[in-house]
Structures are given as structure tokens and as C-alpha cells.
Amino acid sequence: MPLSSPDSPHVRPTPHGDPCGGADQQTAVDKALVLLKSLAEVDGQIGVSDLARRAGLTKSTAFRLLGILQRNDLVERVGSDYRLGAQLFDIGIRVYGQAPPVLQERLVPHLADLYELTHETVHLAVLHGTDVVYVDKIHGHRASRSPSRIGARLPAYCTGVGKALLAYDHDAAEAAIAAGLTAHTSNTVTDPDRFRAELGRIRRDGLAFDRQEAVSGLVCVAVPIMGSAGRPVAALSVAGADGRFDPVRYAPALRRVAHAAARTVNAATPRTAALSGLAEVRAA
């Protein structure tokens, strides 16, 4: 039943047809989605007044919609503040990962191993179209400002994990180039020929670097986790602040952990895990 239906027992239409009482053409669903997107941009939790201001809504409208979202576990209330709810993670897993047991049970322990070897910020990510999706992240003792969050998407071409995966996916790499290699910092590789050459080097060396290409001051080194078909199913990275963090230093640990992770994934159920599971995430 449409939200603006006069027969709905939950929504009382206004003269303007806006179920939330506004004069614009946004529906309650539109505004709820704007709230969720605004909340997703916040690290941690935020008060309703600040969230309403970010979303461009009145405080009363935001409060009413947050109550609906809270009842559906899409947001959680912490005191007088709000944060994203656990139900969104479950939905995200269904979008980005058709084989959660493989991702969580097989690969995440190796991410923990990588952290123990480095004590730096480490990531596990998969390719989704031309974006990279962060499946898990462990913060290091000296964590730096980073746009990576569990479930977050970033353009693959300017991240270490993304380039490690694009190097083995010609179609995705060309799609990223065709869409335009927009500069996120002065170090982002935006020239198509230079980018293709870098992907070739990654295939030869097995290492991908982010040299302040996504965020100024942040560098990282990444490696693919290879599946039995000779294509990566995911990627691992270690990141830190430029000047303090030397990405080359962590390459041996990354290679060792990625090799062990590949053995684990491929040994689990060789064709189901390596081909039907995470490979579907990459092709989605």
C-alpha cells in the first residue's frame, strides 16, 4: 500500500501529499533514506538535531522517522543519540556477499593474523563492479584518518585493495577508466595509460600500493587472495600514516598471510568456495 494512500492506517496525508508534513515532493521513504545516508557518513553516533541538519529535514520529521527506523532495527538509539543498526549489516551481507561463511569463517581469521604480525590497520575487501567494498577492518594502535569502514564502498582505482583486484579483472579496470579516474588527491593516478601500466606491474609483482591516492597522508600496501581459478577472491592490505609507515616493510607479512588465506579458501570446498562464492561478489 503506498505511503500516501488515504486508506493507510499509519500515514495521514497532508494537503501537499507529503506524509511527513513537508511541502516538497519527498515521500517518507525518501526522507528515511536520506537520514540513513547521512547517518552512514558519521563515525559513531549523532544527536537528532545535528542529524536533521545534515539531512536537510526538520527535527520533528527526523525524530519521527528515526523512531520508525529504530523499530525495524535499522538504527539504534544510544542515550539521546543515534547510530546505524545491526539490520543494515545483515542487508549489506546479502548485497555484497553471497557466501558469508566463506568471508567470515575462512578469511577474517587471516585478517587477525595479519594484524598480529603488524599491529597496524588492516583491511579485508572484495570488488563490487568498479568499487571496492570493505568486508572487515581492524584498527592499529596508531590508526590514521581513513575513509575505510566495514561495509563502505570506495572507488577501486585509488585504493590498494582495489588496484590489487582490478589488476586481475580487465573488464572492471576498463570500466573504471571509462567512467573517469577522478582525482581524490594530488597523487591519484588519473592518466589511463599510466594506470594500465601500474596494473601490469601489480600482476608481475603481486603487490599494490596506495601512495596517498585516496586520502592525503595515508599510504598502504595490498595483495590479492588468489582463488583456484587463478583470479583473486578478495584482497588484504596494511595501512598507516605517510612518513611513519613504510608499506614495503610489510610486504613479506602480507604475502605470507594471503598465501595461507588462499589455501584455506581453496581447501574449504574447492569449486564452491573459490568459484561460486566470492567470485560472484566480484562479478556482481
Side-chain angles (χ1 to χ4, degrees):
M1 183 179 296
L3 284 173
S4 58
S5 168
D7 298 325
S8 171
H10 304 294
V11 180
R12 184 173 300 169
T14 68
H16 298 285
D18 178 5
C20 284
D24 54 51
Q25 297 302 307
Q26 281 186 310
T27 67
V29 173
D30 290 325
K31 294 180 178 182
L33 292 174
V34 169
L35 273 178
L36 287 175
K37 290 176 182 178
S38 298
L39 194 54
E41 296 172 352
V42 176
D43 288 327
Q45 54 209 46
I46 187 174
V48 63
S49 296
D50 289 340
L51 182 59
R53 185 162 51 251
R54 283 171 173 261
L57 302 175
T58 65
K59 182 178 178 180
S60 60
T61 295
F63 186 78
R64 185 161 55 250
L65 289 174
L66 284 168
I68 296 171
L69 294 170
Q70 183 183 358
R71 289 197 298 274
N72 288 277
D73 295 325
L74 295 173
V75 303
E76 297 175 353
R77 189 167 182 174
V78 184
S80 60
D81 292 344
Y82 292 85
R83 65 187 180 193
L84 294 177
Q87 185 65 25
L88 285 176
F89 179 80
D90 294 337
I91 293 171
I93 283 294
R94 286 166 173 77
V95 173
Y96 295 126
Q98 300 303 314
V102 174
L103 284 173
Q104 299 296 324
E105 297 170 19
R106 306 294 178 184
L107 296 183
V108 170
H110 292 284
L111 184 70
D113 290 342
L114 182 60
Y115 172 78
E116 287 300 321
L117 288 172
T118 64
H119 287 160
E120 298 285 355
T121 299
V122 295
H123 302 95
L124 171 67
V126 296
L127 194 64
H128 186 82
T130 59
D131 290 337
V132 67
V133 179
Y134 290 91
V135 176
D136 209 342
K137 174 180 181 177
I138 302 175
H139 292 273
H141 291 291
R142 293 178 287 182
S144 303
R145 183 177 67 89
S146 169
S148 61
R149 296 191 303 272
I150 297 174
R153 294 173 60 166
L154 289 175
Y157 68 86
C158 61
T159 66
V161 284
K163 288 190 286 186
L165 296 168
L166 286 179
Y168 297 88
D169 192 325
H170 177 268
D171 291 344
E174 289 301 316
I177 292 171
L181 305 175
T182 304
H184 288 257
T185 72
S186 59
N187 290 329
T188 306
V189 178
T190 58
D191 178 73
D193 291 336
R194 183 182 165 199
F195 184 68
R196 291 188 184 99
E198 182 168 359
L199 295 185
R201 182 197 57 75
I202 293 169
R203 286 191 296 273
R204 290 192 305 272
D205 300 342
L207 289 172
F209 294 92
D210 169 2
R211 298 179 175 88
Q212 304 185 71
E213 295 165 51
V215 175
S216 295
L218 184 71
V219 295
C220 86
V221 56
V223 295
I225 299 172
M226 303 303 292
S228 61
R231 298 181 60 159
V233 295
L236 292 165
S237 72
V238 186
D242 180 54
R244 176 191 67 79
F245 178 83
D246 178 10
V248 176
R249 173 187 171 191
Y250 296 99
L254 259 176
R255 291 184 192 274
R256 186 160 64 251
V257 173
H259 183 64
R263 286 203 313 269
T264 299
V265 170
N266 295 328
T269 46
R271 298 197 64 81
T272 301
L275 302 179
S276 300
L278 293 179
E280 288 181 7
V281 178
R282 299 179 61 260

